[in-house]
Amino acid sequence: MGEYFFLLIFIPLFASALSLYFRGNKAVENGITLIFSFSYILFAGYLLLTSQYNHELVAGDWPSGIGIKLKSDLMALLMITVVGFMYFAGALYGLSKKTIENHRNYLFLYHSLFLGLTGAFLTNDLFNLFVWFEITLMSSYVLVVLGEEKERLIGGLKYIILNFCSGLIFLLSIGLIYQATKTLDFSTLSERLNYLYQENPAYVRALAFSLFSAFAIKSAFFPLFFWLPESYPRLSPGLSGVLAGLLTKLGLYAMLRVFGQVFPHDMTFFTVVLILSALTLLIGVWGAVIQGHIRKILSYHIISQVGFIGVAVSFSFYPDKKISMLAQGAALFYIIHHIIVKTNLFFISGLIQIKKGSEELKDLSGLFRRYPFLALLFLIPAGSLIGIPPLSGFWAKLSLFKISIETRYLWVCLFMILGSFFTLFSMVKIWSNSFWGEVEDHSPLESVHISSYLAIILLCLLTICISLNPNWLYILSNKVGL
Amino acid sequence: MNEVLIKTSFKILCPLLALVSLILFLRGHNLPGGGFIGGLTLSLSMILLILSNKESKLESILRIYFVKVMAICLMGLALTALFPLMLDKTLFTGIWTSIPLPIAGKFSSILIFDLFIYLIVAISTTRAYVEFTDFSGEGRFL
């Protein structure tokens, strides 16, 4: 079955075509979405658990290097399995009308978003990475502006313009790389770049920086993160959860893949990316501290978590081979943990918004008395995001600390401790203002469809599974660098 | 502007452009042309038809069937890409038959794949034109 891994791309493709055909017929559309997203997880999980990876395919029977090459390595399959869970959870969460955009094109675009993501993970060629990136972003552009509120359109415009620029930079740097090496296939590119690096290190460094700036915009690095808190909090809960969990992490995955595995590991480049990540993680969380709107706080948390993952990603191109392999595993572990937790937090805060009609902390109080179950569900991902042992965030941060102490970058540890402290501070702010306190307003709460709770419970269970048995995922993600 | 002159020339141009687009589409495998460019040329011909003839039914047909045709074309693209698997070949492999065709040479599965691209590009470009020039606000967001 392993050689049929490309069917993973076709599952969301068929789902998007079918949901377009049955557009307007809610029952059929929802059925298609659930069936296809569930079969996506089943197939990806089957390939991962039976370890049928490292299959290659060149489309159209062309010789390697000419045709489009797809490859299912362990890193891609791990990411795809996690994305599959988000695919299913997002579909489940969106079954009720209140939680997603009430628009007839929503599901078609939702499926094409996942089509682009799957392709981006499976591709083995820089130009195809760009194409799949664009498919993902194109669907997200339309999804972001599906509403009609003014603030949302302004935020969406910023999102679109900035990501457009990043796409342009991406394409131009691909052109430069092709001009220098005459190939874009990852394995040959890696050889030729290493060869070029011995002759002219500055040129390769420049290529790496130009490509990095494209990925940095997409994954909301300091100083180009401002599109993110402008656009995400204004979307519907279901959509913002999926986008918040997946899109920035796609940029980080691309960095991990391209700079960790293809480009030669350069000390200067590493230092710059490390400093930028450290700044991102601190400045992002400072943004969270001053906000008073739940999903805005969470959006700033994404930026700070991108900084954390950025630290791991930058160590993945540390010149020492052993450290770089460890860091690749740590980065992958962190990305997986973060996708699950972040999507879940957005889903839960969306439920609060639907129930109370507001997400401003000053309007909320005493949710714990009225909804103890929701508070419990919130506590699991929130604690995990901060990194309270034994939740999954603790294990993710632990390996980061281990790597930075081993390489004697103690100031990075200081940044990470400060970042975690402020994350704790802003989480406590959400908790004490919305969950604790007296019940002030006794108006009946809006009821929510049970499927939304099921999606949240599914993600909480995933977090708990990783927390209780981090070894399994840790060993698996550490095999990636080999 | 002399409307009669423009309209009459549009009427001549319309079928000519459609013919050119067909030729572009058929020669596309080895020569410049192909589904995408052919589709754009066909959409030009359809836009001219809408411009020159206010009573043409093309616009309303596009409004009704646009989404279904897009969905079927998308599905067709995916199925043509998967079809070689049934003959134990790799994904996207072109399957050539011995049926002769003018300009294109022989009939192949690549031509079917191109046909879907041709239709998608032609129809969606025309639809976008109709949408952008419609100020009544009826067909908002497709």
Side-chain angles (χ1 to χ4, degrees), chain A residues 211-223:
Chain A
L211 204 55
F212 171 74
S213 53
F215 292 150
I217 297 174
K218 285 185 206 290
S219 47
F221 260 64
F222 170 80

Side-chain angles (χ1 to χ4, degrees), chain B residues 10-99:
Chain B
F10 279 4
K11 265 176 204 158
I12 304 166
L13 271 177
C14 238
L16 265 179
L17 275 173
L19 196 67
V20 169
S21 91
L22 193 68
I23 293 168
L24 278 176
F25 161 63
L26 283 175
R27 78 202 278 263
H29 188 61
N30 288 323
L31 292 164
F36 192 84
I37 296 171
L40 281 178
T41 323
L42 184 65
S43 80
L44 205 59
S45 144
M46 289 203 278
I47 290 169
L48 288 186
L49 186 70
I50 293 170
L51 271 178
S52 65
N53 188 358
K54 282 272 183 303
E55 291 90 50
S56 82
K57 289 199 180 108
L58 193 61
E59 206 175 321
S60 55
I61 290 173
L62 271 179
R63 278 192 193 285
I64 299 166
Y65 295 109
F66 174 69
V67 170
K68 299 250 151 133
V69 173
M70 282 296 114
I72 291 168
C73 285
L74 209 56
M75 196 92 76
L77 277 179
L79 286 176
T80 343
L82 285 174
F83 177 67
L85 292 178
M86 298 220 293
L87 306 173
D88 275 334
K89 287 184 176 156
T90 333
L91 191 70
F92 276 110
T93 313
I95 293 161
W96 291 82
T97 60
S98 52
I99 307 163

Side-chain angles (χ1 to χ4, degrees), chain A residues 4 6-7 10 13-14 16-18 20-21 23 57-61 70 103-105 108 145 148, chain B residues 67-72 74-75 77-79 81-82 85 88-94 140-142:
Chain A
Y4 289 108
F6 56 82
L7 288 176
F10 282 87
L13 180 59
F14 276 118
S16 69
L18 280 173
L20 194 61
Y21 190 82
R23 197 178 77 162
L57 169 108
V58 183
D61 237 355
L70 300 172
H103 194 281
R104 48 190 172 150
N105 283 339
F108 162 64
V145 294
E148 295 194 7
Chain B
V67 170
K68 299 250 151 133
V69 173
M70 282 296 114
I72 291 168
L74 209 56
M75 196 92 76
L77 277 179
L79 286 176
L82 285 174
L85 292 178
D88 275 334
K89 287 184 176 156
T90 333
L91 191 70
F92 276 110
T93 313
R140 290 194 73 187
F141 296 127
L142 300 180

Side-chain angles (χ1 to χ4, degrees), chain A residues 362-374:
Chain A
K362 58 182 184 341
D363 299 339
L364 302 168
S365 180
L367 276 176
F368 187 77
R369 290 267 170 83
R370 299 186 79 173
Y371 266 94
F373 185 56
L374 194 66

